[in-house]
Amino acid sequence: MGHLLDEIGQRRAFRAFNEKKVPEEVIGRIMTAATYAPSCFNNQSWRFLMATEREALDKVRDALSIGNYWMKKAPVLVVVATKPEFGCQMSDHREYAIFDCGLAVENLMLQAFSEGLFAHAVAGYDPLKVKQAFGIPDEFIIITLVAIGYPGDEGHLNEKHKELEHSPRNRKPESEVIAYNRWHFTIDQ
Ligand SMILES: Cc1cc2nc3c(=O)[nH]c(=O)nc-3n(C[C@H](O)[C@H](O)[C@H](O)COP(=O)(O)O)c2cc1C
């Protein structure tokens, strides 16, 4: 019996990053885990731009929302991009490129935590700035940025974020989001 649930439980959206460099082989394993994710028709619709050098890191940092100031300490920032056409597009308008990316990013985060690192995906950034800085064609969707790095001290975090580093996991009761055999969800929430 494996203990994958324990490993999954280790992942939290921590923000206290250390500036210490992450060895290339560790980054390599984390990204291999990302690419091992399943995807619709095995399309592998994810594209990862790895910012590890000063100039590239600064380009991503410039695009962060104010509330994501804590990401500036992370030594690795991943730009996750896709195009709807890269993924399965079903006749009833279901689109799978972004879904594929989500599966890959969760793999990435779990591998990072299993290596003793933090990995935190965010939506708070200006995607146009990211595209302009790197010359990424307009057709791409910059679906998330992921900060990767070793745990650091909390000195640079604001009070709310310091508190969140130690907060218990906050989830809806499972009965609100999981139904067995009968649909019981309302259209309101
Ligand atoms: C798609 C996505 C976008 C997120 N955007 C941000 C963000 O911009 N800033 C931030 O501090 N955290 C962000 N988070 C982290 C979530 O707030 C966090 O995962 C959630 O509160 C649950 O906490 P946990 O991951 O520790 O269980 C994001 C997470 C996801 C999956």
Side-chain angles (χ1 to χ4, degrees):
M1 184 75 171
H3 297 284
L4 184 57
L5 184 58
D6 292 338
E7 295 237 7
I8 291 170
Q10 301 297 314
R11 188 216 55 79
R12 291 295 309 277
F14 294 120
R15 296 177 178 83
F17 282 90
N18 193 315
E19 284 165 299
K20 185 178 133 187
K21 252 181 119 50
V22 181
E24 265 175 37
E25 65 270 20
V26 177
I27 299 175
R29 282 194 296 272
I30 291 170
M31 295 316 295
T32 296
T35 66
Y36 280 2
S39 59
C40 184
F41 212 65
N42 200 19
N43 276 332
Q44 303 163 65
S45 35
W46 45 73
R47 300 290 181 270
F48 303 108
L49 171 62
M50 308 297 296
T52 58
E53 291 173 358
R54 181 65 191 270
E55 201 184 325
L57 283 166
D58 283 345
K59 287 178 181 173
V60 184
R61 288 170 181 154
D62 281 349
L64 296 173
S65 65
I66 292 170
N68 285 336
Y69 66 92
W70 50 269
M71 285 179 80
K72 295 185 178 175
K73 288 242 182 211
V76 182
L77 294 172
V78 189
V79 177
V80 184
T82 188
K83 272 180 66 184
E85 296 77 12
F86 287 174
C88 292
Q89 296 187 288
M90 316 304 262
S91 56
D92 57 1
H93 303 301
R94 277 175 290 135
E95 306 242 1
Y96 283 94
I98 287 171
F99 184 88
D100 296 343
C101 288
L103 294 170
V105 169
E106 178 68 352
N107 271 14
L108 178 166
M109 294 196 288
L110 293 177
Q111 181 64 27
F113 274 81
S114 83
E115 302 257 6
L117 283 84
F118 290 169
H120 188 150
V122 301
Y125 55 88
D126 180 341
L128 285 181
K129 271 194 179 172
V130 177
K131 285 185 186 178
Q132 274 162 9
F134 289 101
I136 299 171
D138 241 12
E139 289 78 1
F140 281 87
I141 300 168
I142 310 296
I143 191 59
T144 189
L145 304 178
V146 189
I148 302 176
Y150 290 100
D153 73 56
E154 297 168 15
H156 67 291
L157 297 182
N158 66 28
E159 289 311 309
K160 182 183 131 197
H161 286 160
K162 272 185 194 148
E163 204 179 305
L164 281 171
E165 292 295 283
H166 306 284
S167 65
R169 190 183 301 280
N170 179 15
R171 289 294 184 269
K172 293 178 182 179
E174 291 191 3
S175 60
E176 270 186 35
V177 294
I178 305 169
Y180 287 91
N181 306 312
R182 277 188 183 75
W183 180 270
H184 65 56
F185 305 119
T186 66
I187 56 167
D188 302 320
Q189 51 178 336

